[in-house]
């Protein structure tokens, strides 16, 4: 038996399997019809309450201000994030370099140098812009 006979025999066997599979799937199988009038088969809620009683129990809540330490009263909150624009998108410089917001300059410089070593030449400008944004902010 040569390779061409072997290939022909396998193709015939595969074709016979496909025909058998298609014929053995059964005859006329109609899709399941959706009965919109059927009773709901979902289990009931544990403590079902009528919608009217829920609506009546809504009580307005006064909005309270966050508690501020007495030493910090009157000071403005400092935003630790540094946002910069690159290619018409806004980015958080600390997030780009992979350091926590408000990290020290030495930590930022180390992260910047690591990113520059790892990235491709096209991304160097992006990381450099993030690094310069942090340096300008401090």
């Amino acid at each position: 038996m040569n390779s061409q006979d072997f290939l022909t025999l396998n193709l015939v066997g595969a074709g016979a399997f496909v025909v058998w599979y298609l014929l053995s799937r059964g005859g006329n199988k109609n899709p399941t019809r959706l009965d919109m009038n059927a009773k709901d088969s979902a289990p009931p809620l544990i403590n079902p309450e009528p919608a009217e009683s829920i609506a009546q129990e809504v009580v307005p809540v006064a909005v309270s201000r966050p508690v501020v330490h007495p030493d910090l009263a009157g000071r403005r909150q400092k935003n630790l994030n540094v946002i910069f624009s690159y290619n018409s998108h806004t980015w958080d410089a600390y997030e780009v370099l992979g350091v926590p917001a408000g990290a020290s300059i030495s930590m930022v410089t180390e992260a910047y140098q690591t990113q520059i070593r790892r990235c491709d030449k096209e991304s160097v400008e992006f990381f450099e812009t993030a690094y310069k944004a942090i340096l300008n902010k401090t």
Side-chain angles (χ1 to χ4, degrees):
M1 176 183 267
N2 62 17
S3 61
Q4 189 173 8
D5 292 339
F6 184 73
L7 180 63
T8 305
L9 185 60
N10 279 328
L11 289 176
V12 168
F17 176 75
V18 169
V19 169
W20 171 80
Y21 177 75
L22 293 174
L23 293 177
S24 67
R25 286 182 45 190
N28 187 9
K29 288 191 175 185
N30 292 330
T32 305
R33 294 185 181 264
L34 179 62
D35 185 6
M36 296 300 287
N37 296 325
K39 190 175 181 182
D40 188 13
S41 63
L45 297 174
I46 295 174
N47 292 324
E49 296 182 27
E52 298 85 29
S53 65
I54 294 173
Q56 293 172 356
E57 293 177 13
V58 175
V59 178
V61 177
V63 177
S64 63
R65 294 184 177 211
V67 178
V68 178
H69 192 274
D71 294 342
L72 301 176
R75 290 188 179 180
R76 290 184 58 202
Q77 184 177 3
K78 184 177 180 183
N79 188 2
L80 298 177
N81 295 339
V82 176
I83 306 299
F84 71 101
S85 180
Y86 184 81
N87 277 351
S88 302
H89 296 282
T90 55
W91 305 86
D92 182 356
Y94 287 107
E95 189 175 315
V96 166
L97 294 176
V99 292
S104 66
I105 295 298
S106 62
M107 187 181 216
V108 169
T109 303
E110 183 179 335
Y112 165 69
Q113 291 170 350
T114 303
Q115 291 289 358
I116 293 298
R117 281 191 300 256
R118 291 182 181 171
C119 72
D120 55 352
K121 292 181 181 179
E122 296 172 354
S123 301
V124 170
E125 184 181 353
F126 176 62
F127 291 115
E128 188 174 306
T129 306
Y131 181 64
K132 285 182 180 178
I134 293 173
L135 291 180
N136 291 339
K137 181 74 171 186
T138 56

